[in-house]
Amino acid sequence: LAKTTQPISMDSYEGQEVNITCSHNNIATNDYITWYQQFPSQGPRFIIQGYKTKVTNEVASLFIPADRKSSTLSLPRVSLSDTAVYYCLVVANTNAGKSTFGDGTTLTVKP
Amino acid sequence: NAGVTQTPKFQVLKTGQSMTLQCAQDMNHEYMSWYRQDPGMGLRLIHYSVGAGITDQGEVPNGYNVSRSTTEDFPLRLLSAAPSQTSVYFCASSPTDRAGHSPLHFGNGTRLTVT
């Protein structure tokens, strides 16, 4: 499975848009890109998943360029409650459960 | 639905003791897995199962056993606890093992300390 690289930490302020970029240079043709959010003392929670171009749901958008070697998670108008660790995973279409979590990006939202 | 339920929430063991961490899901998910998370780090896959009666090793399987006799339950056994197994353990499940349809649903973890 492709290794992912994310920034270790990011700071933002309430109301701003936050973009977290993940590099996955060795992504395979059938791999998907998935993002999870984790709060302290809780298990990770699925945010969004995509294969190419743009995916949007009620909490986030995921932008994937044509070469798929990177992806960007976009959180619109963050609040203090968005302070968490965000993980980018490259997931094989089959045997998806063998996803490898990197160390994630710690996002701190300040008032 | 309760989702993925892990018990106990906290456990302290002495070196050499054995114990079983319980995981149950009520979503009829085929796929279940166990991860461990050490402080400040990501999750590492210990064992996983794609259905009842089928298990396989993940990234860090040594010192742990699993079984999957029912769809609902996926217990993790520590055979002889060591301080290196001090960690937070998460169980996860998903409907199938196909990425396009199967985000993982996680429990809230078991915090294990081995002294």
Side-chain angles (χ1 to χ4, degrees):
Chain A
L1 292 173
K3 179 178 168 56
T4 59
T5 303
Q6 307 173 229
I8 294 173
S9 63
M10 296 180 68
D11 290 342
S12 183
Y13 291 93
E14 282 191 292
Q16 289 187 333
E17 178 184 74
V18 171
N19 296 311
I20 306 174
T21 297
C22 178
S23 297
H24 28 79
N25 290 322
N26 296 322
I27 190 167
T29 302
N30 294 328
D31 290 345
Y32 283 73
I33 298 139
T34 309
W35 286 79
Y36 288 84
Q37 174 192 56
Q38 186 179 27
F39 298 114
S41 302
Q42 294 186 23
R45 183 174 72 110
F46 171 80
I47 302 175
I48 197 165
Q49 183 177 67
Y51 182 78
K52 62 181 178 180
T53 63
K54 177 183 174 182
V55 179
T56 297
N57 62 22
E58 63 276 8
V59 298
S61 295
L62 178 60
F63 299 92
I64 306 168
D67 66 6
R68 302 199 331 120
K69 293 184 184 298
S70 66
S71 58
T72 299
L73 175 72
S74 181
L75 305 173
R77 297 179 300 282
V78 294
S79 64
L80 296 177
S81 63
D82 292 315
T83 293
V85 180
Y86 292 82
Y87 294 99
C88 165
L89 277 73
V90 170
V91 183
N93 189 38
T94 57
N95 216 3
K98 293 194 79 171
S99 316
T100 301
F101 285 77
D103 292 338
T105 297
T106 300
L107 172 66
T108 303
V109 180
K110 302 176 182 178
Chain B
N1 286 350
V4 178
T5 302
Q6 293 185 236
T7 55
K9 286 185 169 52
F10 302 93
Q11 183 70 49
V12 179
L13 291 178
K14 294 187 188 305
T15 297
Q17 287 184 319
S18 62
M19 81 157 293
T20 299
L21 308 185
Q22 301 292 343
C23 176
Q25 52 90 9
D26 61 358
M27 299 173 282
N28 202 32
H29 285 175
E30 288 297 320
Y31 180 88
M32 296 185 74
S33 55
W34 278 100
Y35 291 84
R36 62 175 287 175
Q37 184 173 36
D38 298 329
M41 297 180 67
L43 285 76
R44 291 184 291 170
L45 181 65
I46 304 171
H47 285 285
Y48 66 98
S49 168
V50 298
I54 305 168
T55 63
D56 205 348
Q57 296 182 349
E59 184 184 357
V60 288
N62 292 339
Y64 307 95
N65 273 357
V66 293
S67 60
R68 184 95 180 271
S69 56
T70 67
T71 298
E72 294 78 18
D73 300 300
F74 191 44
L76 177 73
R77 280 182 284 278
L78 279 70
L79 309 173
S80 177
S84 61
Q85 293 178 304
T86 293
S87 191
V88 180
Y89 291 83
F90 290 101
C91 179
S93 72
S94 65
T96 73
D97 201 26
R98 290 186 57 202
H101 307 275
S102 298
L104 293 168
H105 299 253
F106 283 85
N108 280 329
T110 294
R111 187 175 298 272
L112 176 68
T113 302
V114 182
T115 62

PDB file of all heavy atoms in Angstrom, chain B residues 1-17:
ATOM      1  N   ASN B   1     -28.830   1.154  17.248  1.00  0.00           N
ATOM      2  CA  ASN B   1     -27.620   0.338  17.161  1.00  0.00           C
ATOM      3  C   ASN B   1     -26.536   0.877  18.077  1.00  0.00           C
ATOM      4  O   ASN B   1     -26.309   2.070  18.142  1.00  0.00           O
ATOM      5  CB  ASN B   1     -27.079   0.344  15.742  1.00  0.00           C
ATOM      6  CG  ASN B   1     -27.902  -0.509  14.807  1.00  0.00           C
ATOM      7  OD1 ASN B   1     -28.761  -1.247  15.254  1.00  0.00           O
ATOM      8  ND2 ASN B   1     -27.656  -0.408  13.524  1.00  0.00           N
ATOM      9  N   ALA B   2     -25.837  -0.023  18.790  1.00  0.00           N
ATOM     10  CA  ALA B   2     -24.748   0.396  19.643  1.00  0.00           C
ATOM     11  C   ALA B   2     -23.480   0.640  18.834  1.00  0.00           C
ATOM     12  O   ALA B   2     -22.587   1.315  19.295  1.00  0.00           O
ATOM     13  CB  ALA B   2     -24.490  -0.646  20.713  1.00  0.00           C
ATOM     14  N   GLY B   3     -23.360   0.039  17.638  1.00  0.00           N
ATOM     15  CA  GLY B   3     -22.159   0.198  16.840  1.00  0.00           C
ATOM     16  C   GLY B   3     -21.114  -0.825  17.246  1.00  0.00           C
ATOM     17  O   GLY B   3     -21.400  -2.010  17.363  1.00  0.00           O
ATOM     18  N   VAL B   4     -19.883  -0.354  17.498  1.00  0.00           N
ATOM     19  CA  VAL B   4     -18.789  -1.221  17.923  1.00  0.00           C
ATOM     20  C   VAL B   4     -18.551  -0.991  19.411  1.00  0.00           C
ATOM     21  O   VAL B   4     -18.284   0.139  19.823  1.00  0.00           O
ATOM     22  CB  VAL B   4     -17.498  -0.928  17.131  1.00  0.00           C
ATOM     23  CG1 VAL B   4     -16.365  -1.815  17.628  1.00  0.00           C
ATOM     24  CG2 VAL B   4     -17.724  -1.126  15.639  1.00  0.00           C
ATOM     25  N   THR B   5     -18.674  -2.051  20.194  1.00  0.00           N
ATOM     26  CA  THR B   5     -18.548  -1.953  21.643  1.00  0.00           C
ATOM     27  C   THR B   5     -17.315  -2.700  22.103  1.00  0.00           C
ATOM     28  O   THR B   5     -17.145  -3.887  21.791  1.00  0.00           O
ATOM     29  CB  THR B   5     -19.786  -2.542  22.338  1.00  0.00           C
ATOM     30  OG1 THR B   5     -20.949  -1.840  21.886  1.00  0.00           O
ATOM     31  CG2 THR B   5     -19.672  -2.395  23.852  1.00  0.00           C
ATOM     32  N   GLN B   6     -16.471  -2.007  22.846  1.00  0.00           N
ATOM     33  CA  GLN B   6     -15.251  -2.624  23.381  1.00  0.00           C
ATOM     34  C   GLN B   6     -15.309  -2.658  24.894  1.00  0.00           C
ATOM     35  O   GLN B   6     -15.711  -1.691  25.531  1.00  0.00           O
ATOM     36  CB  GLN B   6     -14.014  -1.828  22.961  1.00  0.00           C
ATOM     37  CG  GLN B   6     -13.711  -1.863  21.483  1.00  0.00           C
ATOM     38  CD  GLN B   6     -12.414  -1.145  21.164  1.00  0.00           C
ATOM     39  OE1 GLN B   6     -12.375  -0.221  20.362  1.00  0.00           O
ATOM     40  NE2 GLN B   6     -11.344  -1.596  21.813  1.00  0.00           N
ATOM     41  N   THR B   7     -14.910  -3.777  25.462  1.00  0.00           N
ATOM     42  CA  THR B   7     -14.783  -3.904  26.912  1.00  0.00           C
ATOM     43  C   THR B   7     -13.511  -4.646  27.262  1.00  0.00           C
ATOM     44  O   THR B   7     -13.076  -5.540  26.494  1.00  0.00           O
ATOM     45  CB  THR B   7     -15.983  -4.655  27.516  1.00  0.00           C
ATOM     46  OG1 THR B   7     -16.113  -5.922  26.859  1.00  0.00           O
ATOM     47  CG2 THR B   7     -17.256  -3.847  27.381  1.00  0.00           C
ATOM     48  N   PRO B   8     -12.866  -4.329  28.388  1.00  0.00           N
ATOM     49  CA  PRO B   8     -13.177  -3.186  29.255  1.00  0.00           C
ATOM     50  C   PRO B   8     -12.667  -1.886  28.661  1.00  0.00           C
ATOM     51  O   PRO B   8     -11.982  -1.889  27.649  1.00  0.00           O
ATOM     52  CB  PRO B   8     -12.403  -3.549  30.533  1.00  0.00           C
ATOM     53  CG  PRO B   8     -11.199  -4.273  30.031  1.00  0.00           C
ATOM     54  CD  PRO B   8     -11.676  -5.074  28.848  1.00  0.00           C
ATOM     55  N   LYS B   9     -12.951  -0.766  29.298  1.00  0.00           N
ATOM     56  CA  LYS B   9     -12.423   0.531  28.857  1.00  0.00           C
ATOM     57  C   LYS B   9     -10.984   0.718  29.344  1.00  0.00           C
ATOM     58  O   LYS B   9     -10.165   1.344  28.679  1.00  0.00           O
ATOM     59  CB  LYS B   9     -13.290   1.667  29.382  1.00  0.00           C
ATOM     60  CG  LYS B   9     -14.616   1.803  28.669  1.00  0.00           C
ATOM     61  CD  LYS B   9     -15.375   3.021  29.147  1.00  0.00           C
ATOM     62  CE  LYS B   9     -16.589   3.327  28.265  1.00  0.00           C
ATOM     63  NZ  LYS B   9     -17.471   2.195  28.064  1.00  0.00           N
ATOM     64  N   PHE B  10     -10.698   0.212  30.520  1.00  0.00           N
ATOM     65  CA  PHE B  10      -9.368   0.314  31.108  1.00  0.00           C
ATOM     66  C   PHE B  10      -8.967  -1.048  31.695  1.00  0.00           C
ATOM     67  O   PHE B  10      -9.825  -1.782  32.178  1.00  0.00           O
ATOM     68  CB  PHE B  10      -9.312   1.360  32.233  1.00  0.00           C
ATOM     69  CG  PHE B  10      -9.712   2.733  31.814  1.00  0.00           C
ATOM     70  CD1 PHE B  10     -11.031   3.154  31.959  1.00  0.00           C
ATOM     71  CD2 PHE B  10      -8.789   3.608  31.270  1.00  0.00           C
ATOM     72  CE1 PHE B  10     -11.414   4.433  31.560  1.00  0.00           C
ATOM     73  CE2 PHE B  10      -9.159   4.882  30.873  1.00  0.00           C
ATOM     74  CZ  PHE B  10     -10.479   5.292  31.015  1.00  0.00           C
ATOM     75  N   GLN B  11      -7.667  -1.347  31.642  1.00  0.00           N
ATOM     76  CA  GLN B  11      -7.181  -2.592  32.226  1.00  0.00           C
ATOM     77  C   GLN B  11      -5.718  -2.428  32.604  1.00  0.00           C
ATOM     78  O   GLN B  11      -4.939  -1.864  31.832  1.00  0.00           O
ATOM     79  CB  GLN B  11      -7.330  -3.752  31.240  1.00  0.00           C
ATOM     80  CG  GLN B  11      -6.913  -5.091  31.771  1.00  0.00           C
ATOM     81  CD  GLN B  11      -7.855  -5.612  32.831  1.00  0.00           C
ATOM     82  OE1 GLN B  11      -9.062  -5.620  32.663  1.00  0.00           O
ATOM     83  NE2 GLN B  11      -7.295  -6.056  33.945  1.00  0.00           N
ATOM     84  N   VAL B  12      -5.374  -2.915  33.790  1.00  0.00           N
ATOM     85  CA  VAL B  12      -3.976  -2.960  34.215  1.00  0.00           C
ATOM     86  C   VAL B  12      -3.593  -4.424  34.412  1.00  0.00           C
ATOM     87  O   VAL B  12      -4.302  -5.168  35.090  1.00  0.00           O
ATOM     88  CB  VAL B  12      -3.749  -2.177  35.524  1.00  0.00           C
ATOM     89  CG1 VAL B  12      -2.279  -2.273  35.945  1.00  0.00           C
ATOM     90  CG2 VAL B  12      -4.149  -0.717  35.352  1.00  0.00           C
ATOM     91  N   LEU B  13      -2.504  -4.825  33.812  1.00  0.00           N
ATOM     92  CA  LEU B  13      -2.018  -6.195  33.922  1.00  0.00           C
ATOM     93  C   LEU B  13      -0.585  -6.196  34.442  1.00  0.00           C
ATOM     94  O   LEU B  13       0.155  -5.219  34.243  1.00  0.00           O
ATOM     95  CB  LEU B  13      -2.009  -6.885  32.558  1.00  0.00           C
ATOM     96  CG  LEU B  13      -3.327  -7.220  31.879  1.00  0.00           C
ATOM     97  CD1 LEU B  13      -3.055  -7.849  30.514  1.00  0.00           C
ATOM     98  CD2 LEU B  13      -4.153  -8.164  32.733  1.00  0.00           C
ATOM     99  N   LYS B  14      -0.214  -7.308  35.051  1.00  0.00           N
ATOM    100  CA  LYS B  14       1.180  -7.509  35.400  1.00  0.00           C
ATOM    101  C   LYS B  14       1.850  -8.292  34.270  1.00  0.00           C
ATOM    102  O   LYS B  14       1.204  -9.085  33.568  1.00  0.00           O
ATOM    103  CB  LYS B  14       1.299  -8.269  36.705  1.00  0.00           C
ATOM    104  CG  LYS B  14       0.784  -7.513  37.920  1.00  0.00           C
ATOM    105  CD  LYS B  14       1.101  -8.260  39.201  1.00  0.00           C
ATOM    106  CE  LYS B  14       0.438  -7.651  40.405  1.00  0.00           C
ATOM    107  NZ  LYS B  14       0.767  -6.229  40.559  1.00  0.00           N
ATOM    108  N   THR B  15       3.128  -8.078  34.116  1.00  0.00           N
ATOM    109  CA  THR B  15       3.887  -8.807  33.099  1.00  0.00           C
ATOM    110  C   THR B  15       3.663 -10.308  33.247  1.00  0.00           C
ATOM    111  O   THR B  15       3.745 -10.847  34.343  1.00  0.00           O
ATOM    112  CB  THR B  15       5.387  -8.489  33.228  1.00  0.00           C
ATOM    113  OG1 THR B  15       5.584  -7.092  32.984  1.00  0.00           O
ATOM    114  CG2 THR B  15       6.199  -9.283  32.222  1.00  0.00           C
ATOM    115  N   GLY B  16       3.363 -10.957  32.118  1.00  0.00           N
ATOM    116  CA  GLY B  16       3.145 -12.391  32.103  1.00  0.00           C
ATOM    117  C   GLY B  16       1.693 -12.813  32.201  1.00  0.00           C
ATOM    118  O   GLY B  16       1.360 -13.960  31.875  1.00  0.00           O
ATOM    119  N   GLN B  17       0.830 -11.918  32.639  1.00  0.00           N
ATOM    120  CA  GLN B  17      -0.588 -12.267  32.712  1.00  0.00           C
ATOM    121  C   GLN B  17      -1.205 -12.310  31.313  1.00  0.00           C
ATOM    122  O   GLN B  17      -0.676 -11.697  30.379  1.00  0.00           O
ATOM    123  CB  GLN B  17      -1.347 -11.243  33.568  1.00  0.00           C
ATOM    124  CG  GLN B  17      -1.075 -11.356  35.051  1.00  0.00           C
ATOM    125  CD  GLN B  17      -1.927 -10.392  35.866  1.00  0.00           C
ATOM    126  OE1 GLN B  17      -2.125  -9.234  35.496  1.00  0.00           O
ATOM    127  NE2 GLN B  17      -2.427 -10.875  36.993  1.00  0.00           N
TER     128      GLN B  17
END
